[in-house]
Structures are given as structure tokens and as C-alpha cells.
């Protein structure tokens, strides 16, 4: 209750400062006040234009995130559980983690065209790297005593992996999934700014081209709200359905 009150107060203070700056100190053409942005968002919502862009971005994020998460978990378990594969993929994983995915936009368009496929693959690529890394790290850092205890109870092979290794690595896997969700929301904007006709990124780009600053802020706020809501949905699912796996996760979010 106290945390919710503090967060609400911080949001209200931020909005009040923004409103004052947009009306009293700065040119509204450069920084429109939140009341003006809200009015513009209402108009765009009434016509359905804003919802069209949000739906397009949300669909790309969900598909890319789901594909990247599945691939990342499978590869991460394989890499983390097999020492030879861990050493083999260590350098490539570090390399691809250092490459900004937005730098791959031209290649994605060249290889897969300007349609939906290139955007979804770009999101899935980034999510795969994040989830793979955290999954492999979670498995790699499992205490050896826990594995030996499982073997003492007669668990070997698949049974040991499913009943001991995966639950022990669950905090790392869930951390990767949560980080992947955030990165998916970020990268979809860059993907939509090239070769798209719908989406929040495309909407922001149109605002820049037509010098519609209020449209740019509507797009940015829509992106932020979408990210916050997706994060809350993830936390709700994690805390309700995966409670047994999150007892060692200290950060509540």
C-alpha cells in the first residue's frame, strides 16, 4: 500500500512539473503539456488510429517474444548443461550481446523484406540472446551439492534435468524472460521506423516528418504504457503460476 502511494505521488509530481514546464517555461511546440497530449491521444483513440498502431506493435512484440523465448530456453538449457557447448558458445554469445539489434535492421530488410517477417525476426533475435544467456547462466551456477543430492535420490538423465536442474535454474530463466520482454518493446520501435505502415514506431516517425510534436509524445507514452502493462502481466503470471520458482528472486519489480 505504501509503495503504491509513493509511486502514485511520484507520477503526479512528474505530471505537474511537465505541465508547468510546457505551459510556463518552454515553447509548447517543443514540449506540449500532458493535458494537450492527453487531448490528442483522446482524439486519436476516438478515430481508432491510435489503437491500430498499438495493436500492430503489440502483435509483433508478442509473436517475436514468444518465438525468442522458446528458442532461448531450449538453447540455454543445452548450452548451460553441457560444459563443452558452454565453452563453444561462450564467445559467440558475448559477441552477439554486444551488437545493437537496430544495426541489423538493414540486413533484416535485405534478407526478409519490409513485411512483418523481418520485424518479428529482429525481435525474436534479441529475445533469444537475452533468454539464452540468462538460462545458461542459471544452469551453470547451480550448486553442485543440489545435483549430487538429486543423484542420491536415484535421479539421472532427463529426470534429473527436469526435477532438479530446471527448477534450480528457474530464477535465471525468469529473469531472462522478463528482460527479454522489456527489450522486445524497445526494439519494435526501431524495426517499425523502417519499412512499416503501422505501429507505434511508424506513428512516431510520421510525427517527426510532419513536425507533430504532440503525436510523438502520444507515441512515446503509448510505448511506455504498453511496456509497463506487459511487465505487470508477466509479474502476475509469474507470481500466480510460478510462485514455487520465485522464492529466491529478491527483486520484486
Amino acid at each position: 500500500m505504501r509503495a503504491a502511494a509513493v509511486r502514485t505521488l511520484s507520477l503526479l509530481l512528474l505530471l505537474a512539473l511537465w505541465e508547468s514546464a510546457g505551459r510556463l517555461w518552454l515553447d509548447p511546440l517543443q514540449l506540449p503539456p500532458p493535458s494537450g497530449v492527453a487531448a490528442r491521444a483522446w482524439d486519436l483513440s476516438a478515430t481508432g488510429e491510435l489503437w491500430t498502431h498499438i495493436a500492430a506493435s503489440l502483435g509483433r512484440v508478442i509473436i517475436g517474444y514468444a518465438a525468442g523465448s522458446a528458442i532461448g530456453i531450449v538453447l540455454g538449457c543445452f548450452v548451460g548443461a553441457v560444459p563443452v557447448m558452454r565453452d563453444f558458445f561462450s564467445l559467440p554469445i558475448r559477441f552477439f550481446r554486444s551488437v545493437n539489434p537496430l544495426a541489423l535492421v538493414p540486413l533484416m530488410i535485405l534478407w526478409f523484406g519490409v513485411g512483418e517477417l523481418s520485424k518479428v525476426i529482429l525481435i525474436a533475435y534479441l529475445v533469444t540472446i537475452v533468454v539464452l544467456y540468462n538460462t545458461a547462466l542459471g544452469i551453470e551456477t547451480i550448486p553442485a551439492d543440489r545435483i549430487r543430492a538429486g543423484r542420491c535420490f536415484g535421479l539421472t538423465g532427463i529426470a534429473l534435468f527436469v526435477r532438479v536442474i530446471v527448477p534450480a535454474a528457474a530464477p535465471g530463466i525468469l529473469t531472462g524472460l522478463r528482460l527479454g520482454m522489456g527489450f522486445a518493446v524497445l526494439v519494435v520501435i526501431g524495426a517499425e521506423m523502417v519499412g512499416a505502415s503501422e505501429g507505434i514506431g511508424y506513428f512516431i516517425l510520421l510525427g517527426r516528418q510532419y513536425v507533430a510534436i504532440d503525436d510523438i509524445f502520444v507515441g512515446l507514452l503509448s510505448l511506455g504504457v504498453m511496456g509497463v502493462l506487459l511487465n505487470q502481466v508477466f509479474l502476475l503470471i509469474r507470481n500466480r503460476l510460478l510462485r514455487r520458482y520465485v522464492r529466491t528472486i529478491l527483486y520484486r519489480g
Side-chain angles (χ1 to χ4, degrees), residues 120-160:
V120 170
I121 288 179
L122 184 64
I123 296 170
Y125 156 80
L126 180 58
V127 174
T128 297
I129 296 298
V130 174
V131 175
L132 190 162
Y133 173 79
N134 284 276
T135 299
L137 183 63
I139 293 178
E140 182 181 352
T141 55
I142 295 176
D145 291 344
R146 186 168 298 185
I147 297 177
R148 284 195 293 266
R151 287 173 176 161
C152 289
F153 283 98
L155 299 177
T156 58
I158 299 298
L160 179 67

Side-chain angles (χ1 to χ4, degrees), residues 6 94 102 143 151 170:
V6 172
R94 276 183 282 177
L102 297 182
R151 287 173 176 161

Side-chain angles (χ1 to χ4, degrees), residues 33-253:
S35 56
V37 175
R40 179 58 177 163
W42 178 266
D43 293 339
L44 291 169
S45 299
T47 61
E49 181 180 356
L50 180 60
W51 298 116
T52 298
H53 294 300
I54 291 176
S57 296
L58 185 60
R60 291 164 185 151
V61 167
I62 292 176
I63 295 174
Y65 175 75
S69 296
I71 297 172
I73 290 176
V74 172
L75 292 180
C77 288
F78 180 67
V79 171
V82 182
V84 174
M85 293 295 100
R86 189 185 309 155
D87 296 334
F88 183 82
F89 284 102
S90 176
L91 185 58
I93 291 174
R94 276 183 282 177
F95 172 80
F96 285 112
R97 286 182 65 218
S98 303
V99 176
N100 191 318
L102 297 182
L104 300 177
V105 170
L107 283 178
M108 293 295 173
I109 293 176
L110 180 63
W111 291 341
F112 305 106
V114 296
E116 293 298 306
L117 184 60
S118 60
K119 300 170 182 58
V120 170
I121 288 179
L122 184 64
I123 296 170
Y125 156 80
L126 180 58
V127 174
T128 297
I129 296 298
V130 174
V131 175
L132 190 162
Y133 173 79
N134 284 276
T135 299
L137 183 63
I139 293 178
E140 182 181 352
T141 55
I142 295 176
D145 291 344
R146 186 168 298 185
I147 297 177
R148 284 195 293 266
R151 287 173 176 161
C152 289
F153 283 98
L155 299 177
T156 58
I158 299 298
L160 179 67
F161 185 80
V162 172
R163 299 184 62 180
V164 176
I165 294 179
V166 172
I173 297 173
L174 292 174
T175 298
L177 290 174
R178 187 179 182 186
L179 291 174
M181 175 66 75
F183 282 118
V185 174
L186 292 177
V187 77
V188 71
I189 299 304
E192 290 174 343
M193 286 186 174
V194 181
S197 58
E198 291 179 337
I200 299 177
Y202 172 74
F203 181 71
I204 292 175
L205 184 63
L206 282 183
R208 184 188 68 82
Q209 291 176 347
Y210 293 106
V211 199
I213 305 300
D214 50 352
D215 282 4
I216 295 177
F217 274 91
V218 169
L220 292 174
L221 291 177
S222 299
L223 176 67
V225 171
M226 184 173 71
V228 169
L229 291 179
L230 286 174
N231 181 68
Q232 291 303 119
V233 169
F234 177 86
L235 292 178
L236 179 63
I237 295 174
R238 188 195 73 178
N239 294 334
R240 292 289 179 85
L241 302 181
L242 304 172
R243 184 181 298 274
R244 58 177 294 192
Y245 297 126
V246 299
R247 292 173 182 172
T248 58
I249 298 179
L250 300 179
Y251 179 60
R252 294 176 300 167

Side-chain angles (χ1 to χ4, degrees), residues 6-20:
V6 172
R7 291 172 182 175
T8 302
L9 178 61
S10 67
L11 178 60
L12 293 176
L13 289 176
L14 177 61
L15 290 175
L17 179 61
W18 180 7
E19 184 77 23
S20 300

